[in-house]
Amino acid sequence: MGKSTPSALQSEKQKRNIRDVELSRPRKFFTSRDFGIVLLLSVVAFAVRVQRLMNPSKVVFEELRYVNYAVDYASNKFVMDVYPPLGKLLLSFGLTFMNSNPDLTKVSHPGQEFPSFETARSLRLIIAAFGSLLIPLMYGNVYLSSNSKMAAFMASVFAIFDNGLITMSRYVMIEIPTLFFMGLTSFFWMYYENQQKYPFALKWHISLLYTGISLGLTISTKLSGLFTLFWILVLALFHLWNLIGDLTVPITRIIRYGFNYTFYLIGVPMVVYLGIFAVHSKLAYKSNIYDSFLTPEYKYSLEGNDFGEEYADVAYGSLVTIRNAIPEHGYLHSNELVYPEGTKQQIISLVDHPNQNTLWIIEHENAADNDRKKIELLKDGSIVRLRHIMTGRALHSHDHRPLVSNHDWQLEVSGYGGFGFEGDGNDLFRIQILDRPSRHASSNGTVEAFNTYFRLIHVFTNCELMTSHRRLPDWGQDHREVTCCRNCIERSTTWVIESNFHDAMPSDARKTNYRKPSFFEKFIEANKLMWLKDRKMGDGHEFESHALTWPFLLGPLRFMSDQNLQVYFMGNPVVWYSVVSLIVFFALVMLFFAARWNMGYNDCGPKFYHHSYNIGKFALAWFIHWAPYILETDRVFLYHYLPALYFGIMALGVGWAFVGNVIFEHRPAFSFVTAAFITLMFGVYYLYSPFTFMTPLTQSSCQSLELKGSWNFRCNSYMESLSQYNSGIVNPIFYEEAAPHPFVYNGPAENSHSDVPLKENLAVYYPAWDAQVEMGYKIAAEEKAAMEAKEAASAEAASMSSDETSRSEPSD
């Protein structure tokens, strides 16, 4: 008998095994049939997501925030958020394309009607389109990783009919655009993995380039895109590790791989991220309400914020406004209000914008030395008395606790004295120039407007004038508190002079202004603000939940209740529990075989490694996009689980391909089980769809859907029967507030009637000041003379009474 060829000796099953283990073998891309399937799935997904799209037609959860952003961008106003700008820019481009610029000034909170129905519908359609595009990406990711059209179809249908994905695809928020770019990144990486047979070819480079661009777009939409970056880098390092372990691969090839991964997966996303901020900077060039959080330099670069030049040198007798180094804390301020308890002296506070009550005149410690006709510059160590120009009271501190902070390491700061009364030693502060943040135009060690950063140290108590992070109650008009403290944080005790005028300065005196920052300086500042303010978005939301509960769907998130109908963010239990079951089962299997391998058994063949890798990479993505939220204790909601869920559905699809390939071996029974699985999922979707599309539901049917005790759907909000929905009985509207906006003051500070805008020419304040001082001294002198006359009369009366008494006494 002749020697048989190896192919003749192999069974069909062995051939399949060889085919399946070829991980790096490029597969034929989508056929026309695949494109037809994907197109059909996308149309179905879009139809599902736009069903009853404007029900409700009111602002839901965080919609107002993002619609406002889009309107501001369309108007070229500056926008600041804790998330990068791409998502808001996309919405803004949509508004510009529709030539829509709605007036949202009358919309202040969720639950109110959108002022423009067409604008709201158009923006929701944009989000619905992004949500629909998640489906072809799901199909492509699963197909490229499993080569199974059945598995790709099942995963796509699961993504179409997950109630949570549908809900977030219907409202104007950036979760779905972020998820789209995450899926796009994954798709291009899967395509790259299928180009490994021809490394460094054109398609190889293009797929890596597209992966890097998608990564940049993901991070530019939301910083959670960094989780996707980390996942891709882990996969790249795993590939490099395998190459290092292969002794047949030359070191030069490994270095080339490492260089390309660094360039495409780190360098390209950084360039894209910078480019998005360049677009943001180009479009958002006008002043806006978020300016208060910017450094003055950045604020000065925006149109409408020209501060004008000021005298550079600050001297005794200068009229100044003093700003804290923390941009949003504002300007040193006082007015006619007094503390309601304790010393009941005049309140010192900070306000967001300068006005006439933020003007202070700098005096000598000795009143006799106050002579504005001569210029004596302030320098490090100068002792000053800061007197409020509108009320005449001096900045003052003493050994009393502040009413609001009320800590033993803080002292009250108040306004003390008045016109005609010089004050006392507790009005004196010493200037301490801080060299590190200061930017002097000259090196003479004097105080300069705009450039010199300094502390004001109370002479007697050695405490430092400080801005508090707390705001005063109603009696303080919600202004920010000012105290005097010991051992405080430097930025809170750092001050800078902004407006500066002295009537004795020569006309040719040196002037200065804020320096306009470069693009990179603004880029760095914006990103610092994003990271810092993300910690201050607030907490305590009723439906805030811990990440450990998300995979098990322990509680829904209610968005709105209106006209006896409700909107909930609620996932499809079949989808969510199937995902977490697969992840747990896969982890246990991997642990089992790892333990067997450590004991010397090698039960796993190439086929197992192939399928475990493809399931494992998506399971890893699920973990990376979910686990970091476990460390968060506030401001986390159930919908933050969506990226992990999306990758979990991919893992489920690839795992289902393994079931069909290994267990059912592609027999007809596999198609039947798949159809049954999809039917079960669709049935559950339909049951919970009233919470998704805000459709009528009876109290009894609602209660039957509360399978868990933690699923509180507030069923008493519904009618007892469907016929009652036409009776006209309507319950009050209830909506869920989103987290407070970190770049908008929750309670804007009120101004007193005397807080009028600051006049540009500060010289106009001097005559009134001089007249008030002169009048004050005159009144004080008259009061003193009257008091002395009264005391003299009293003394004379007492002396006369004494003489009469002595004359009336009998002599010895």
Side-chain angles (χ1 to χ4, degrees), residues 165-186:
L165 286 171
I166 296 171
T167 302
M168 291 308 294
S169 298
R170 293 166 52 81
Y171 300 112
V172 188
M173 290 179 266
I174 62 171
E175 311 302 323
I176 292 300
T178 305
L179 189 53
F180 166 77
F181 289 121
M182 289 178 175
L184 191 65
T185 300
S186 176

Side-chain angles (χ1 to χ4, degrees), residues 543-557:
F543 290 109
E544 201 170 74
S545 56
H546 197 279
L548 289 174
T549 67
W550 297 346
F552 308 102
L553 200 58
L554 294 186
L557 170 60

Side-chain angles (χ1 to χ4, degrees), residues 564-636:
N564 304 102
L565 304 175
Q566 298 187 95
V567 177
Y568 274 96
F569 176 82
M570 171 69 183
N572 187 317
V574 172
V575 178
W576 289 48
Y577 292 149
S578 298
V579 166
V580 72
S581 298
L582 170 80
I583 299 295
V584 172
F585 178 74
F586 176 76
L588 293 175
V589 169
M590 295 304 296
L591 287 174
F592 172 76
F593 281 107
R596 293 273 296 173
W597 184 81
N598 282 327
M599 291 187 292
Y601 299 97
N602 188 7
D603 306 317
C604 308
K607 187 174 185 179
F608 174 83
Y609 285 118
H610 166 61
H611 285 289
S612 63
Y613 170 77
N614 283 289
I615 298 172
K617 65 186 177 186
F618 291 125
L620 177 66
W622 173 89
F623 181 79
I624 288 175
H625 287 81
W626 166 69
Y629 290 105
I630 297 175
L631 303 177
E632 290 282 351
T633 58
D634 54 36
R635 296 171 297 101
V636 285

Side-chain angles (χ1 to χ4, degrees), residues 51-243:
Q51 181 184 168
R52 299 173 63 90
L53 184 62
M54 290 308 294
N55 185 30
S57 61
K58 298 175 181 178
V59 179
V60 175
F61 209 53
E62 291 189 320
E63 279 194 305
L64 179 61
R65 173 176 168 186
Y66 292 107
V67 173
N68 267 314
Y69 286 146
V71 172
D72 286 343
Y73 270 124
S75 306
N76 299 116
K77 293 182 180 179
F78 178 77
V79 171
M80 193 69 229
D81 187 26
V82 293
Y83 304 133
L86 179 58
K88 284 88 70 177
L89 284 171
L90 292 173
L91 295 173
S92 173
F93 294 154
L95 279 181
T96 304
F97 178 76
M98 295 178 294
N99 195 26
S100 176
N101 190 11
D103 181 13
L104 300 180
T105 54
K106 296 181 180 179
V107 184
S108 59
H109 57 76
Q112 292 180 292
E113 288 281 351
F114 273 107
S116 171
F117 183 88
E118 292 299 324
T119 298
R121 184 174 63 180
S122 299
L123 289 175
R124 286 183 178 179
L125 279 172
I126 293 173
I127 301 301
F130 275 109
S132 304
L133 290 174
L134 292 175
I135 308 311
L137 292 176
M138 175 66 71
Y139 189 96
N141 274 287
V142 176
Y143 176 66
L144 289 176
S145 300
S146 65
N147 204 26
S148 171
K149 296 180 181 179
M150 181 72 72
F153 178 81
M154 188 202 75
S156 300
V157 173
F158 271 42
I160 290 175
F161 294 105
D162 178 71
N163 300 69
L165 286 171
I166 296 171
T167 302
M168 291 308 294
S169 298
R170 293 166 52 81
Y171 300 112
V172 188
M173 290 179 266
I174 62 171
E175 311 302 323
I176 292 300
T178 305
L179 189 53
F180 166 77
F181 289 121
M182 289 178 175
L184 191 65
T185 300
S186 176
F187 174 79
F188 284 126
W189 179 261
M190 298 308 117
Y191 184 72
Y192 162 75
E193 285 189 343
N194 283 273
Q195 305 301 318
Q196 293 306 305
K197 189 174 181 179
Y198 304 104
F200 309 113
L202 180 60
K203 286 186 177 180
W204 187 94
H205 281 284
I206 289 176
S207 57
L208 261 186
L209 174 64
Y210 286 168
T211 303
I213 292 173
S214 301
L215 273 173
L217 296 175
T218 305
I219 300 169
S220 300
T221 307
K222 200 171 180 182
L223 289 178
S224 57
L226 292 172
F227 303 150
T228 309
L229 172 63
F230 180 71
W231 173 57
I232 295 294
L233 290 178
V234 169
L235 296 182
L237 290 174
F238 180 76
H239 183 217
L240 284 176
W241 181 258
N242 285 335
L243 290 176

